[in-house]
């Protein structure tokens, strides 16, 4: 099956494999010149147990990957809460293709310096860049989602910024119910209110 390793439709099958077998196959393929195989390798490592070798090979892979493909490796960095990411990811925050996931990985980092740097990017009174909003919302930490709700309540955001509330379970966390209602009530960014209302409906009609 190795010759089909780069087939996107095979991803669900691979993800169900024994995790140790998955890890070893990914190690073998992560330096492949076949971009699809390389992407699947680094992506599949996200579902394995973190270890030092995985961290090393993923960071090396991201450094070598080109274009939007980097996002798959950065996703694995985020999933494993890898640390010491600022040097590698800060330059990518200007790349629209991967800026959101790069910011999210900084917020999820095991290194306080990374998290502090990420948080500092959201400070201010001007329009909040889309990548910062996406990064906060993509976190699986309800407190990061709370910060997203506060940002869209208190600060201007891009007129074309959109998100699908149903794709973000943290918006339905009970601890955020009051914050969600407050944001709906006070935000001047009315174009995002319909998605927030759908999340509120979940509480009333789960």
């Amino acid at each position: 099956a190795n010759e089909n390793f780069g087939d996107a439709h095979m991803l669900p099958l691979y993800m169900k494999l024994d995790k140790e077998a998955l890890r070893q196959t990914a190690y073998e393929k992560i330096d492949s010149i076949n971009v699809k195989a390389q992407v699947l390798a680094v992506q599949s490592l996200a579902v394995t147990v973190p270890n030092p070798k995985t961290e090393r090979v993923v960071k090396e892979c991201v450094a070598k990957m080109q274009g939007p493909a980097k996002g798959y490796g950065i996703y694995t960095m985020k999933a494993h809460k890898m640390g010491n990411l600022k040097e590698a990811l800060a330059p990518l925050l200007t790349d629209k293709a991967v800026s959101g996931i790069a910011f999210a990985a900084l917020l999820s980092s095991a290194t306080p310096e990374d998290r502090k740097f990420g948080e500092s990017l959201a400070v201010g009174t001007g329009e909040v860049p889309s990548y910062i909003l996406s990064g906060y919302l993509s976190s699986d930490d309800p407190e990061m989602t709370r910060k997203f709700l506060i940002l869209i309540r208190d600060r201007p955001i891009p007129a074309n910024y959109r998100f699908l509330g149903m794709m973000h379970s943290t918006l339905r966390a009970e601890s955020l119910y009051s914050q969600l209602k407050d944001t709906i009530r006070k935000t001047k960014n009315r174009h995002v209110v319909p998605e927030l209302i759908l999340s509120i409906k979940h509480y009333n009609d789960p």
Side-chain angles (χ1 to χ4, degrees):
N2 278 351
E3 62 270 21
N4 295 322
F5 192 76
D7 290 355
H9 70 276
M10 299 292 284
L11 182 59
L13 172 63
Y14 281 112
M15 293 305 186
K16 292 178 182 177
L17 289 177
D18 172 79
K19 295 300 184 284
E20 184 57 34
L22 192 64
R23 189 204 322 270
Q24 293 307 317
T25 302
Y27 286 165
E28 293 169 12
K29 298 293 182 178
I30 201 163
D31 289 322
S32 174
I33 59 172
N34 180 323
V35 175
K36 288 182 179 180
Q38 186 183 47
V39 163
L40 184 52
V42 75
Q43 188 177 19
S44 62
L45 284 171
V47 302
T48 65
V49 176
N51 67 33
K53 181 176 180 179
T54 294
E55 179 164 344
R56 176 176 58 79
V57 300
V58 169
K59 287 181 174 179
E60 289 173 354
C61 181
V62 169
K64 291 184 285 188
M65 293 175 104
Q66 299 295 317
K70 278 183 180 287
Y72 294 99
I74 298 170
Y75 175 84
T76 297
M77 288 177 166
K78 172 181 175 287
H80 283 202
K81 302 186 186 303
M82 294 180 188
N84 301 308
L85 301 179
K86 179 182 174 182
E87 184 177 350
L89 298 187
L92 301 179
L93 296 173
T94 57
D95 182 341
K96 289 185 178 180
V98 297
S99 55
I101 188 63
F103 180 72
L106 287 166
L107 294 180
S108 300
S109 171
T111 306
E113 183 186 359
D114 289 343
R115 298 195 302 273
K116 185 176 180 181
F117 171 66
E119 294 273 7
S120 74
L121 298 173
V123 174
T125 58
E127 182 175 279
V128 185
S130 293
Y131 79 86
I132 287 180
L133 297 171
S134 298
Y136 275 118
L137 187 56
S138 68
S139 173
D140 54 9
D141 179 355
E143 287 310 303
M144 294 295 103
T145 307
R146 184 185 303 280
K147 291 179 180 179
F148 165 81
L149 290 170
I150 291 171
L151 284 172
I152 65 173
R153 182 194 68 188
D154 296 345
R155 301 259 302 273
I157 68 173
N160 62 353
Y161 178 74
R162 298 289 186 276
F163 65 94
L164 289 174
M166 63 181 290
M167 300 295 291
H168 302 283
S169 60
T170 51
L171 279 172
R172 300 187 292 277
E174 284 194 30
S175 61
L176 295 182
Y177 183 56
S178 295
Q179 183 65 65
L180 189 57
K181 289 195 299 182
D182 188 58
T183 297
I184 290 172
R185 193 165 54 244
K186 295 179 180 176
T187 182
K188 294 181 180 178
N189 301 299
R190 305 312 293 176
H191 62 289
V192 298
V193 168
E195 285 298 328
L196 298 177
I197 288 175
L198 287 177
S199 297
I200 281 284
K201 286 186 68 176
H202 167 82
Y203 291 98
N204 300 324
D205 185 23

